[in-house]
Amino acid sequence: MRVATWRGAARFTIDDAPEPVAGPGQVVVGVHTAGICGTDVHATQGLFPWTPPLVLGHEYTGVVREVGRGVSRGLVGKLVACEPSYGCGTCPACEAGRVSQCPGATRVGGFAERVALPASCVHPLPRGLDPVTAALTEPASCCLAGLEMFTMPPNATVLVIGGGIMGLLTMVLARRRGARRLVLSDPLEERRRTARRLGAQTVIDPAQESLRERIMTLTRGRGADVVCEAVGKPELVAEALTLVKPAGVMQLVGVNPKGSRLPLDLWDTHFREVRIHGAFGRGTAFRRALPLMSKLGVKRLVTERFPLARIEEAFAHAAAGRGVKTAIAPGEA
């Protein structure tokens, strides 16, 4: 079978690899759609601590082709959404359901024609959910895991900085968790239009107007109840902190480069009693996110799919910020 191997920088090779085999308790999945995550792009830019050669891709769906001993044959032929990693099962992180923090986690890259996974990592798609939209379940579960860290205040105003896939998913999930007013800031008009379609009452172009002035006007000088930075830039995190109301919540959604530092006015943060939350990975939220995917209005967020052989072009497309979500379709020519 073919896999796309990341070789460093923005270079990939298409390689032949051994066919995966379903061991005891495992399944083999033929990959249908695998999304390109911002962390995948950041890795190719030297901004995320992954080391090549590596098969990337951790947002994928597919069809179960084979099952191993102890797995029901009723799964064969089922469309499934895949959790792309599994832990050792015995460390404190695994016991807490935080597989992403397991030091012995196994990550199975989805930029491949087929993958082998534990049966516990694959979840049949709910009726009416297509495999392209379902590929957004992994990023949606990461957003949901972050929002579940706190109780959404009544009638909350939620500001999301960044209208990429993580920002848009955070926004629509915040609405489901009780947010009353959704505000999204992004310099790209296409993303602001998408945010409006998904329910944002206010969209802001930070290149044309002061984000701070607009937010303070909207909130009568208090600031937003919840501010979500969904880009992963320290300077935006610093700005976001100034836009949180007293006793409000600052949610780190975007992943900043390792080693990033933030000059922080500790007196101001202390005085305003701002809570800062960082959620890394999906935690236990994948199973809760999957049944929501057909209800969020996100069906059209995967705006481009490329065959495996064009993965370098796909990464260039994603890195340029075109569309919302770029994906790989390993089974297509």
Side-chain angles (χ1 to χ4, degrees):
M1 70 158 187
R2 298 181 308 156
V3 302
T5 307
W6 172 48
R7 298 293 178 178
R11 293 181 292 106
F12 288 82
T13 57
I14 305 301
D15 304 307
D16 290 324
E19 283 288 342
V21 176
Q26 292 187 323
V27 300
V28 170
V29 176
V31 179
H32 182 281
T33 298
I36 297 177
C37 178
T39 54
D40 294 324
V41 174
H42 287 166
T44 67
Q45 296 169 337
L47 301 176
F48 203 78
W50 287 337
T51 303
L54 196 63
V55 177
L56 301 174
H58 54 271
E59 307 173 355
Y60 54 93
T61 57
V63 179
V64 176
R65 299 300 187 193
E66 176 190 337
V67 298
R69 190 174 70 250
V71 181
S72 169
R73 288 200 56 78
L75 274 178
V76 175
K78 295 280 190 184
L79 280 166
V80 293
C82 301
E83 297 192 63
S85 59
Y86 52 96
C88 68
T90 59
C91 71
C94 285
E95 289 175 356
R98 294 164 46 243
V99 171
S100 297
Q101 284 81 23
C102 171
T106 299
R107 295 171 177 84
V108 182
F111 296 149
E113 290 182 319
R114 286 170 288 282
V115 297
L117 289 164
S120 60
C121 288
V122 302
H123 308 277
L125 301 192
R127 185 182 301 275
L129 179 61
D130 67 277
V132 177
T133 305
L136 299 174
T137 306
E138 198 278 341
S141 65
C142 295
C143 298
L144 182 60
L147 291 169
E148 288 179 340
M149 288 181 148
F150 60 92
T151 300
M152 185 66 66
N155 300 316
T157 292
V158 175
L159 165 64
V160 178
I161 298 176
I165 191 68
M166 298 299 282
L168 293 170
L169 289 172
T170 294
M171 188 188 78
V172 296
L173 287 166
R175 179 183 59 195
R176 286 195 66 90
R177 293 186 62 78
R180 181 179 65 85
R181 180 163 55 186
L182 302 174
V183 183
L184 184 129
S185 172
D186 195 286
L188 297 180
E189 182 180 356
E190 180 182 6
R191 292 181 173 182
R192 296 196 303 274
R193 283 200 307 266
T194 301
R196 280 201 183 278
R197 177 174 66 80
L198 291 175
Q201 291 93 337
T202 302
V203 296
I204 299 169
D205 179 354
Q208 298 298 321
E209 62 178 314
S210 166
L211 177 57
R212 178 174 178 79
E213 288 181 8
R214 187 71 181 279
I215 292 300
M216 291 305 165
T217 298
L218 287 171
T219 61
R220 299 181 180 179
R222 291 279 287 170
D225 297 273
V226 180
V227 179
C228 306
E229 197 280 346
V231 181
K233 289 187 175 181
E235 60 270 28
L236 291 180
V237 176
E239 181 179 18
L241 275 167
T242 71
L243 303 176
V244 183
K245 79 168 191 177
V249 173
M250 168 72 205
Q251 177 69 42
L252 298 175
V253 179
V255 180
N256 285 268
K258 190 173 182 179
S260 298
R261 296 290 183 268
L262 178 67
L264 184 63
D265 185 333
L266 295 176
W267 161 257
D268 179 66
T269 304
H270 193 162
F271 176 75
R272 290 191 296 126
E273 300 180 350
V274 173
R275 288 168 286 161
I276 302 174
H277 289 287
F280 187 81
R282 64 190 182 277
T284 61
F286 196 95
R287 292 174 182 271
R288 295 187 294 282
L290 183 59
L292 297 177
M293 298 311 297
S294 60
K295 305 171 185 177
L296 297 178
V298 296
K299 185 179 178 67
R300 290 181 285 169
L301 292 190
V302 177
T303 47
E304 195 75 39
R305 293 170 76 224
F306 289 81
L308 197 64
R310 294 170 60 196
I311 191 167
E312 288 187 352
E313 182 182 349
F315 264 73
H317 184 276
R322 298 182 184 133
V324 180
K325 170 62 74 173
T326 305
I328 302 298
E332 297 182 7

